[in-house]
Each structure stands twice: as structure tokens, then as C-alpha cells.
Amino acid sequence: MPPTRFEPSQIKNKHKREQILQKIRKVKTQAKLQKRLALAKAEANDPEAKKKRLAENVPRTLDNMREFDPSIMTADPSSSNQAEGSTSAEAIQNEQAADISTDPFASYFTTDDPSIPPKVLITTSFKASKTTYEFCDELVGIFPGAEFRRRKKGKGFEMGRIAGWAADRGYKHLMVVNEDMKKPNAITLVYLPNGPTAYFKLTSVELTQQIFGHARATPHYPELILNGFVTRLGHCVGRMFQTTFPPLPEFAGRQVVTLHNQRDFIFFRRHRYAFRSEEKVSLQEIGPRFTLKLRWIKKNIPAVYNLGESPAALTIEKDDEEDAPVEESENKEEASEEQPTRKKTIPPKQDEYLWQWKSELETTRRTFFL
Amino acid sequence: MSRFIFGDDLGNIKVLRYLPDAASPEENASIKTVHSEATSENRTAIQRISTCLIGRDNDTLLATASSNASLALHTLSEEDELKTVCNWTEKRLKDNYFVGLTASTSAVWSCTSNGALRRATFSTESSSITQEDKGSLPTRLRDWKLSSDAKNFAYGGEEVDLSVWDAELAFRAQPTAEASNASGKKRRRADTLFHGEVWRAKNLPNDSLSLRQPVRITSLSFLPNSGSGHSLVTGTLGNDVRRYDTRAARRPVADWKVGKVGGIKTLQAGLNEHELFVSDQGTNLYAVDLRNGQILYGYPGIAGAVTAIAVSPTTIASTSLDRYVRTHTIIPPAGIVGTRLDTKGAVSSKTYTNCIPTCIVWDGIHAKAAEAEEDEEDDVWDEIEEVSDGEDSDNSEAPRKKRRNLKS
């Protein structure tokens, strides 16, 4: 009778079982090592074979197995499944282009002087602590047009109201760093005067002095790199970050800010680059390093709920315009000359969510939204 | 097969066709653009849309109101061809927006948030409005709806309580006798109804701290199933849904907290009895039972606030701020109040649109495709010849013989 094979796992004695299994594992790893060495030797002489092997064996990762999202902005819509079946690829592209060119950030691209940095107001949540103030110091150094103000306590200092005042004074952004347990944990970025509000969770904050071998920042306007913003929502977020920096960078400063989006996490890095030769560049990291994750985007600036305000009386507007249009226009000209009134931005009474992260939306591990 | 028409933020009008019995779940909904707005610097968003069926030809009248104060009337054929009938503008709009638009077979009613009411009478032959009537309503309106028999309309808004007006009297100028009386009195009671106003709601009593409840109506709807123009339902900024009966009392008949986040965005009464669809400013869309205010079920998987809901007998369609137009299945409420439903409504299709869709409406044409298919099947069976089989059992022989007699 030929010897029957039994599995090592049937050995009840633990020490003996471990011994046998270690022997088997060693044999296997040795065999694998020999195989790899032989392959490396063969490919050292034949680079074509190596290329062929690499081309055939592309590993599947979450990034390249990503779930299809119809809002991914592609240069060639006809290649992917079209949601709107009967319209042509050109019509879809025109529509997407029109949508982007008329979104709230469009005015940034049509400014007269691209070297004026957009004004950013940076503040914290009420009663912030030292770590948050240090982080805000770093933020003021990142954005060329940034200013820091302490946040006051009370009913009249809600985020929506502050956004209204900032909008009236010509600020383009309001950035509120929220604190929890003595550490900054979130950033709310509001585009003014009535643009979207985005809320990001802030993690992995490392300040400049904590980075070993960091470079020194200069006040030059940085260049901007935005990676991985693929979907329509991603475009919205990417453009929002783009509008915080001046449109025309100063190349003499050799500073670059990178916002790299991978798997819905946005990594912020700031580097200084130097050309060591015509082909080689070296990077030295400046400045803080942090990670953001988008939680929600609201359509307008933050709402202010004032439930206790006294009710206004019912009024009916009088309809004068139709009767005397000529007189009206004359009056209007006089009025505008007399009072160059500052526009008053009133915060809305309702928040409308453009997008909100919900765990039920992540149906698979390969679903990403930005 | 249902057809819905929606407008979006750039001014395009698109048609969504939903086929519940399509081969694969990806093909059950398709969108076609019937009108593309030329791109300009500012967006001319379509703020309100309304349809009305014309009797002949199964054409649909489509009225749209845009953010640049222009209103238009189109006819949409069954093959999705759009033809513009007439255009007109609402000059009193200024910085406000349209809160209500209804099209009937002879006139189009529109209302803005600063109270500019207009009824434009048209005829399909002429390319301009034949008659325009204007009315003035209070400012700060947030929603305006015309009742199904077009005799009354209702509005509500910020510190503007729910009001029902007579549709004809609203357009007549306020008689001068009333004006002189008012100037004679020292103080005009804030409670007196405007000329043309039929009924005005009263605010809820003060809460447990004796504080006045703010009036912040964000949306309202007539309930078509219960009586003509007597039952209304409003949604407020405090996530409340209140039900009113104009015959019973001025205070709401029922007050329920339905929404979760940010206040009620839009309400739409369902075509089944006691059904109401509610969406709030967060990502929630619920079906609510009107008898006890309980949420029957919600629709999962929506990432942005639902801006508009359109109801048809078999499905509902919704547009939301995350650029998707979805259709949903409906489960009608149970006969006995409070019984749990076995199945819940689900999202049956979702289609991506390139711009944010703002308003959606059902075109009113009932689906007849299923019945036609059944008739075809019967014809095929009738044409097949009967073949006799001697081996069959006795049971089948007798009915077979009968059938053969009929055939011959």
C-alpha cells in the first residue's frame, strides 16, 4: 500500500507541528527566491522581456478599479457611458463647459490684475488654544492675501454673520479652523460673497518646525499643483482652492503648493524646488503638512438662525415702474451719486446641501467622490 | 413609461423618460435635451416649470419662469419637439425670484417672492399674450400655489402666514371706499384681510416658555384628494409640516415634526390617498402619512438636497442639488393608520445631468404601453391553429373541443 499523505495541521503536538511547518515554509521561500533571481538574471540581459512582463502583470488597486461615476469630467465623453443618450459628445462638452464657466468661481479668472492676491480671512472657533493659533500662523504664511482675526463669543458672531461682514469688506474667502480637545480638527472654507461653503476634516497636521530639514518660506506667490480632482464635485473643490491663491505666481520664489487628491483625501504640501542641473530637480519641504477630507458642501454662505427676531409687518410693494419709467431712471442716477452705500450681504436663513458625505453612499471600497 | 420634464440651472429644458420594464437596470431612464439655452455670462436658471394637457394631439403645454424675469410658453409633442408659443417678462421681479407658476388651458399664472402676481391669458394661435392681469401680494413670499379648480390660490413666506385668496378678486383694484375708511381709523388692525383674501391662518399658540412661534413657511401644497381647495399643508423652516383645513379653523389642524436637517425644502402631495412627499435641506426625502404625520419610508442614497418632486400615478421623480434626477417607486399608505408597510419605496433609476436641475414636473400623459402589448399577445395566440391530440386525457378534451368550436 502506498504511503498516504497527511497534512501537517493534523499533528497534535504543537512544537513538532511548528517545526514541520517552518521547514515547509523555508523550502517554499527558498524556491521563490531562486526563481526571482533567475528571472532577474535573465532580464538583466534582455530589457524587452522585463517590459513585456511588467506590461502584462498590472496590479489591480482600488485606484485603478474605481467605480464608474458619471460625473467624472473626461476630455472625451463619447468613450464612457453617456447618461444623456441622444445628445452628442460635443453638446455634452459644451454643457459642461458652460456649467463650469458660469459657476461662482468664474470671476476669479476674469480679474483685471492677476498679481493682486485674493483676500482671505482666517479665524478659529471660539476659545481656541495655542496649537490652533500656531496652525493659523502657518496658514497666514501659506496664502499671500491672508489675515488672521480672533473669534469673539456671542450671538452676533455666528459664522454666517462674519462671512457677511467679510464679503462687504472685500474678502474673497473665510477660513474657520475648528478646534476640538486642544487640537485643530476641521476647516470650513467659505467662498464669498455668496459662494459655496465646504467643510473639511483636518488630520495629520505637522507644523514647519516639526519637519526635519525644512526649508524657509518667503513671501513670494507660490505655484499651484492640483492633482486628482476628477469628478464635477472634485472640480468644484479644486477651483475653490485655486481661488485662494493669486492667479499669477512668482516663479523667482521657486515655491510650489501641492493639493493632491487620492481616494478622497486631499494632501497639502509646500515645497521649494531647485534645479541642480538641466535635468535634475531637488525638492525641499517647507511649511505645514496636513490632510483634508471633504464632509459636506453647502450652496450659500452659512445660515444664521435668528428665531427670536420680532416679526416684520406684511407689506405690499407698490408697482411704480410701469407707470413712469423715465422719471425713475433720473431719480436712480441722482441717488447713486449721493450715497455710495456699502453693499450689505445678509446671511441666508436656510442651508442647502450640495453634497454631503454619508456612509451609505460608499457602496463599495472602490467608490470615491472627488 | 412615464415622461417628466425638468429645467436646470443654465436654462435648458430636458425630458426624462422612465421605462420600468427595460432590459437592464441601466437603461430604464434616458434624458433628452429639448431646449438649450445659449451660454451667457450670467446663468438664467429656470426657477419654475408647469405643464397642462391640451385635449387634442396629446401635446403638452409647458410654461417656464427664469431668473432673468422672462416667462415662456411652449408646446411639447409626444416626440419631444418643443415649439415656443409666446414670451413675456415680469418687470417687477428685480432682485427676487419666482415662487409659483401654474399653467392652465387658457392662462398662465405666475408669482414672485416680492408679491408680483400676473395672469397672462394666451391663445395658441397668436404669438403674444392676449391679456395680462396684474395683482399685488405681500412681499417675502416663499411659495405660491393655485388650487386645482383655479378658483383660489394660497401663499406663505417669511413672517407671512398661510393665506387663501379668491383668484378673481385678487386682480381687481382695491376699492377706494375701503381706503378712506382705513385712513379714518387710528389704527388698522393687523388682522384684517386684504381685499380678495378669503382666509388667513393664525399662528400657533406661544410655546412652553411663552415665546412667540416664528412664522417661516418655506413650501406649501394643496391636498387634492380631500375636498376642493380646503385642505392645505405647509412646511416650515423649523422642520414642521402643518396641515390646515380652511373650513374648520384658522389654526393648523395638525403639526408634525417631519424633517431632520435645515427645514423643509419642498412638499408634494401624492396621488394615493393620505400620501405626502417631503424633502428637507439635508439629503432626506420621505413619504409621510397625512393622517398621523409618521414617516412611512425614506429614500436612501441621495447626496444633495432634493429641490423638486414630481408625482405621477406609478412613480415619482425628483431632482436634487447633487446633479442627479431620480425616479422612485411608491408604496401607498396602508388602509389602517399606523400599520407598518412590508416593502419600502426605493430609487428605481438615477441619471446624471451636467447642470444642477432645479424643477421637475410630470407631463400628465398616462402610460398606455402595457395595455397595447397585452392586446398584441392575444392576437398571436388567436392566430395559432389548434392541433388535435388523441392521447390527451379526458379533462383536456372537453375544453379543447369548445375552443375549436369558437374558432371555427
Side-chain angles (χ1 to χ4, degrees):
Chain A
M1 204 171 89
T4 55
R5 179 176 164 70
F6 66 93
E7 292 295 323
S9 53
Q10 288 171 350
I11 302 174
K12 295 300 178 187
N13 182 333
K14 181 173 175 180
H15 294 283
K16 191 66 187 171
R17 187 170 69 235
E18 274 184 2
Q19 210 177 41
I20 305 270
L21 283 172
Q22 270 177 14
K23 265 191 215 161
I24 293 174
R25 201 182 299 139
K26 191 169 182 180
V27 165
K28 275 190 185 165
T29 48
Q30 276 298 314
K32 189 172 178 182
L33 180 65
Q34 294 308 319
K35 194 175 130 195
R36 284 172 70 91
L37 287 173
L39 192 63
K41 200 174 181 184
E43 281 181 354
N45 303 329
D46 188 4
E48 284 294 321
K50 182 171 184 181
K51 252 195 221 173
K52 192 177 161 212
R53 179 178 62 87
L54 287 174
E56 279 172 16
N57 298 317
V58 175
R60 293 184 299 183
T61 62
L62 290 179
D63 298 301
N64 58 20
M65 297 282 288
R66 186 173 166 164
E67 287 269 319
F68 175 70
D69 187 342
S71 70
I72 291 178
M73 321 266 297
T74 51
D76 180 20
S78 55
S79 56
S80 59
N81 302 340
Q82 285 181 36
E84 310 197 13
S86 55
T87 49
S88 63
E90 212 190 288
I92 295 176
Q93 268 202 313
N94 286 342
E95 216 173 28
Q96 286 181 345
D99 190 29
I100 287 194
S101 64
T102 51
D103 74 355
F105 311 114
S107 57
Y108 169 83
F109 298 97
T110 53
T111 46
D112 295 325
D113 189 356
S115 58
I116 301 177
K119 283 167 73 173
V120 180
L121 179 63
I122 300 180
T123 185
T124 61
S125 52
F126 174 63
K127 243 194 164 176
S129 61
K130 186 177 158 202
T131 39
T132 308
Y133 287 127
E134 282 177 357
F135 181 66
C136 290
D137 269 342
E138 303 262 356
L139 281 182
V140 167
I142 296 172
F143 303 104
E147 279 177 34
F148 177 76
R149 289 265 185 278
R150 282 183 189 242
R151 181 86 174 273
K152 289 198 178 163
K153 181 187 176 176
K155 278 289 177 182
F157 297 95
E158 293 99 343
M159 204 155 50
R161 246 183 260 273
I162 295 178
W165 302 330
D168 295 337
R169 283 166 175 75
Y171 284 90
K172 276 279 172 267
H173 291 263
L174 169 69
M175 201 180 280
V176 181
V177 178
N178 190 65
E179 184 188 276
D180 187 39
M181 298 218 292
K182 310 290 183 202
K183 273 187 286 193
N185 76 337
I187 288 183
T188 310
L189 185 56
V190 186
Y191 186 75
L192 306 166
N194 44 17
T197 308
Y199 177 83
F200 300 92
K201 275 289 177 185
L202 176 68
T203 48
S204 303
V205 177
E206 279 186 38
L207 302 180
T208 311
Q209 67 244 44
Q210 292 163 345
I211 299 171
F212 180 75
H214 70 89
R216 184 179 291 187
T218 57
H220 293 97
Y221 300 164
E223 295 161 57
L224 189 59
I225 292 179
L226 297 164
N227 277 342
F229 293 99
V230 165
T231 62
R232 184 67 187 88
L233 180 69
H235 256 67
C236 185
V237 171
R239 277 163 80 89
M240 205 168 183
F241 282 117
Q242 187 180 12
T243 49
T244 53
F245 291 95
L248 189 65
E250 288 173 333
F251 296 98
R254 290 182 289 121
Q255 287 185 98
V256 57
V257 163
T258 306
L259 282 151
H260 176 90
N261 171 47
Q262 189 159 341
R263 299 190 188 179
D264 285 349
F265 286 92
I266 303 171
F267 299 96
F268 176 95
R269 298 288 181 271
R270 195 157 63 132
H271 293 275
R272 156 156 280 118
Y273 60 88
F275 285 100
R276 300 294 175 208
S277 75
E278 287 232 345
E279 289 154 356
K280 281 192 191 171
V281 186
S282 68
L283 288 178
Q284 193 184 10
E285 191 166 354
I286 328 162
R289 185 197 281 179
F290 53 88
T291 312
L292 300 169
K293 186 161 201 248
L294 180 68
R295 278 296 146 130
W296 45 253
I297 291 193
K298 286 183 188 164
K299 191 172 175 190
N300 301 316
I301 62 179
V304 172
Y305 300 108
N306 193 359
L307 301 172
E309 66 182 349
S310 44
L314 287 180
T315 51
I316 295 189
E317 246 182 39
K318 278 205 178 152
D319 181 24
D320 299 325
E321 257 202 38
E322 306 255 357
D323 301 334
V326 177
E327 293 175 27
E328 274 280 334
S329 56
E330 286 177 10
N331 288 338
K332 271 188 193 162
E333 283 172 23
E334 290 174 9
S336 58
E337 282 170 17
E338 287 165 9
Q339 313 151 3
T341 44
R342 189 180 267 171
K343 240 189 353 169
K344 220 180 163 201
T345 312
I346 305 169
K349 296 207 162 98
Q350 268 186 322
D351 290 316
E352 297 172 59
Y353 282 86
L354 283 181
W355 184 85
Q356 188 180 33
W357 183 86
K358 294 202 289 194
S359 54
E360 67 190 22
L361 295 174
E362 295 219 346
T363 45
T364 64
R365 286 192 67 191
R366 310 181 308 266
T367 325
F368 305 115
F369 305 104
L370 288 184
Chain B
M1 201 260 306
S2 328
R3 184 172 74 157
F4 297 92
I5 306 156
F6 65 94
D8 67 15
D9 223 15
L10 284 181
N12 305 321
I13 303 175
K14 299 186 184 175
V15 159
L16 169 77
R17 277 185 190 271
Y18 172 63
L19 306 122
D21 317 310
S24 65
E26 286 109 32
E27 289 165 27
N28 57 1
S30 64
I31 293 185
K32 193 159 72 161
T33 310
V34 289
H35 170 76
S36 345
E37 189 76 13
T39 52
S40 58
E41 266 186 29
N42 294 319
R43 290 184 167 191
T44 53
I46 292 190
Q47 290 176 340
R48 284 285 188 266
I49 202 170
S50 171
T51 53
C52 177
L53 275 182
I54 323 178
R56 51 172 175 98
D57 299 336
N58 256 351
D59 270 3
T60 321
L61 269 178
L62 182 73
T64 59
S66 309
S67 60
N68 61 353
S70 71
L71 296 112
L73 184 69
H74 316 273
T75 50
L76 185 70
S77 70
E78 276 210 71
E79 287 81 42
D80 303 332
E81 279 169 33
L82 193 83
K83 275 181 225 159
T84 311
V85 174
C86 43
N87 289 305
W88 65 104
T89 56
E90 176 63 73
K91 289 200 191 95
R92 302 172 283 174
L93 187 70
K94 288 169 247 173
D95 290 327
N96 299 285
Y97 53 95
F98 284 99
V99 290
L101 181 73
T102 313
S104 68
T105 45
S106 58
V108 174
W109 304 64
S110 67
C111 184
T112 68
S113 65
N114 58 349
L117 179 70
R118 184 179 289 246
R119 178 179 64 188
T121 324
F122 63 89
S123 77
T124 42
E125 283 82 42
S126 72
S127 65
S128 67
I129 298 293
T130 48
Q131 187 196 339
E132 273 185 340
D133 299 305
K134 282 184 239 172
S136 289
L137 303 174
T139 54
R140 303 190 310 265
L141 298 183
R142 292 291 172 260
D143 204 355
W144 179 97
K145 286 268 166 29
L146 190 69
S147 70
S148 41
D149 56 2
K151 293 215 177 97
N152 299 315
F153 61 79
Y155 60 71
E158 292 275 324
E159 296 304 336
V160 176
D161 224 333
L162 181 64
S163 247
V164 178
W165 283 47
D166 183 301
E168 278 304 317
L169 292 178
F171 294 109
R172 283 187 215 149
Q174 196 162 7
T176 47
E178 261 184 40
S180 59
N181 276 344
S183 57
K185 289 180 192 162
K186 276 186 186 174
R187 182 174 58 93
R188 199 167 154 260
R189 279 193 62 197
D191 231 8
T192 45
L193 299 179
F194 292 113
H195 172 72
E197 200 170 350
V198 170
W199 177 89
R200 191 191 295 183
K202 206 167 171 184
N203 199 2
L204 289 169
N206 290 348
D207 64 5
S208 55
L209 296 172
S210 294
L211 293 171
R212 180 190 171 269
Q213 307 268 33
V215 176
R216 294 204 182 162
I217 295 176
T218 52
S219 57
L220 72 101
S221 176
F222 276 94
L223 292 175
N225 292 324
S226 40
S228 58
H230 292 296
S231 252
L232 297 127
V233 85
T234 61
T236 68
L237 205 62
N239 294 312
D240 301 308
V241 168
R242 297 189 182 138
R243 189 172 171 173
Y244 292 83
D245 189 342
T246 55
R247 292 169 296 186
R250 285 179 62 196
R251 286 230 161 102
V253 166
D255 176 27
W256 307 305
K257 205 156 209 81
V258 172
K260 299 270 161 61
V261 177
I264 305 288
K265 195 160 174 79
T266 181
L267 293 170
Q268 188 71 34
L271 291 177
N272 294 317
E273 239 192 318
H274 313 299
E275 199 177 43
L276 180 73
F277 296 101
V278 175
S279 84
D280 64 5
Q281 295 282 8
T283 56
N284 302 313
L285 176 61
Y286 296 124
V288 173
D289 191 334
L290 278 168
R291 295 165 290 189
N292 58 359
Q294 298 254 330
I295 295 174
L296 294 165
Y297 51 86
Y299 293 103
I302 305 177
V306 173
T307 44
I309 309 170
V311 176
S312 86
T314 46
T315 54
I316 59 168
S318 69
T319 60
S320 79
L321 291 177
D322 62 349
R323 295 195 163 87
Y324 276 98
V325 177
R326 296 176 171 89
T327 56
H328 313 264
T329 55
I330 324 173
I331 311 289
I336 305 170
V337 180
T339 43
R340 217 156 39 130
L341 296 174
D342 293 328
T343 48
K344 294 191 177 169
V347 176
S348 44
S349 83
K350 73 176 191 180
T351 355
Y352 178 74
T353 62
N354 292 314
C355 342
I356 299 178
T358 45
C359 42
I360 190 167
V361 74
W362 178 51
D363 72 347
I365 299 173
H366 291 259
K368 285 178 195 167
E371 292 173 24
E373 277 174 31
E374 281 172 27
D375 293 333
E376 284 172 17
E377 278 180 24
D378 286 338
D379 292 335
V380 171
W381 285 112
D382 287 335
E383 279 166 26
I384 291 175
E385 278 183 19
E386 289 285 333
V387 177
S388 65
D389 253 2
E391 297 160 357
D392 274 357
S393 58
D394 291 333
N395 292 335
S396 56
E397 252 180 274
R400 272 242 174 121
K401 279 182 186 164
K402 278 187 189 166
R403 226 189 287 156
R404 218 186 283 165
N405 288 334
L406 283 171
K407 287 283 180 300
S408 58

